[in-house]
Amino acid sequence: EVQLVQSEAEVRKPGECLKISCQVSGYSFTNYWIGWVRQMPGKGLEWMGIIYPGDSDTRYSPSFEGLVTISADKSINTTYLELKGLKASDIAIYYCARHSIGGSVASPFDFWGQGTLVTVSS
Amino acid sequence: DIQMTQSPSSLSASVGDRVTITCRTSQSITTYLNWYQHKPGRTPNLLIYRASTLQSGVPSRFTGSGSGTDFTLTISSLQPEDFATYYCQQSYTIPNTFGQGTKVEIK
């Protein structure tokens, strides 16, 4: 069974950094692109970026380039989303999701993590 | 980036109604168009991919159509569990942008 399990909700102060995780199981981690999606309160889904864990090839949306870092650790089947210099505008639920076709970004997200709520408050 | 325009942004409908949501893209994406259903407190659920292919396990009352720049999601007979927000997404090019969502509410 394919599963993506994300780290728990986090609270941080403005200016701090945060790394949230997404550990997968039930399929070959290195062979499928995984993406990160943001949902701000009351807003829609925003595509942030993706990583191919096999070689750590990473692509970002221009809206998030330089603001976040996506990485992967093949030894523990985990991908990470690092948020830098947190602001109140970073308050959101962050989802990881797997592209459905191995090796292809031209495919939908078929499995999703449960989401990680990030709160930024002084 | 490819811009996605969904309409309407929200709608009210009754159980049993036929519901149609449209998605227009700023350039041709052939058929690389996906539809998701998202309920509060849940993860998004893939309904349709490649414009018209029903994801396994999704009820047949959901259908997708279109190609190029204009796409449609139709729910043939709205059920109580279908009240949710629906998003289109293009997977033609990176970034794989989402539409702004269509909230389907109970009339």
Side-chain angles (χ1 to χ4, degrees):
Chain A
E1 178 191 10
V2 174
Q3 287 191 310
L4 286 73
V5 179
Q6 297 183 226
S7 46
E8 296 298 313
E10 299 271 10
V11 180
R12 289 288 186 275
K13 291 181 167 48
E16 293 185 341
C17 298
L18 173 63
K19 202 170 188 178
I20 57 181
S21 66
C22 171
Q23 185 171 40
V24 315
S25 60
Y27 73 96
S28 177
F29 176 62
T30 55
N31 291 348
Y32 290 75
W33 289 85
I34 291 182
W36 287 91
V37 175
R38 181 176 80 174
Q39 184 176 37
M40 298 171 69
K43 302 297 184 183
L45 304 175
E46 299 175 271
W47 190 96
M48 302 176 71
I50 53 174
I51 188 166
Y52 189 71
D55 60 7
S56 290
D57 186 5
T58 310
R59 317 283 175 87
Y60 295 97
S61 165
S63 299
F64 292 94
E65 182 105 49
L67 302 176
V68 304
T69 300
I70 297 171
S71 60
D73 185 339
K74 290 187 286 188
S75 68
I76 54 171
N77 286 2
T78 299
T79 182
Y80 299 96
L81 174 69
E82 183 175 14
L83 309 173
K84 309 167 189 175
L86 286 164
K87 305 181 288 296
S89 57
D90 292 313
I91 294 173
I93 298 173
Y94 295 85
Y95 295 99
C96 61
R98 188 193 79 158
H99 275 278
S100 66
I101 299 176
S104 172
V105 299
S107 62
F109 290 134
D110 60 349
F111 289 94
W112 294 67
Q114 82 275 20
T116 297
L117 174 63
V118 173
T119 302
V120 182
S121 174
S122 55
Chain B
D1 298 5
I2 293 177
Q3 307 305 311
M4 314 287 288
T5 304
Q6 272 185 250
S7 61
S9 56
S10 65
L11 64 91
S12 295
S14 301
V15 172
D17 284 353
R18 181 182 181 89
V19 169
T20 299
I21 299 168
T22 64
C23 181
R24 176 164 289 176
T25 60
S26 59
Q27 67 184 74
S28 176
I29 58 169
T30 66
T31 58
Y32 287 93
L33 193 283
N34 313 305
W35 290 98
Y36 300 87
Q37 176 192 67
H38 194 197
K39 298 179 181 179
R42 306 282 296 273
T43 63
N45 182 44
L46 175 65
L47 298 175
I48 287 168
Y49 60 97
R50 292 303 300 269
S52 61
T53 304
L54 200 64
Q55 174 71 347
S56 175
V58 174
S60 59
R61 62 181 179 273
F62 293 93
T63 59
S65 64
S67 67
T69 62
D70 291 287
F71 302 88
T72 300
L73 173 69
T74 300
I75 309 172
S76 60
S77 177
L78 198 66
Q79 298 302 300
E81 61 267 30
D82 300 336
F83 292 96
T85 300
Y86 294 84
Y87 295 92
C88 59
Q89 180 211 26
Q90 62 83 14
S91 50
Y92 180 76
T93 189
I94 290 169
N96 293 162
T97 38
F98 288 92
Q100 79 277 19
T102 295
K103 187 173 184 179
V104 176
E105 298 175 300
I106 302 172
K107 182 183 279 186

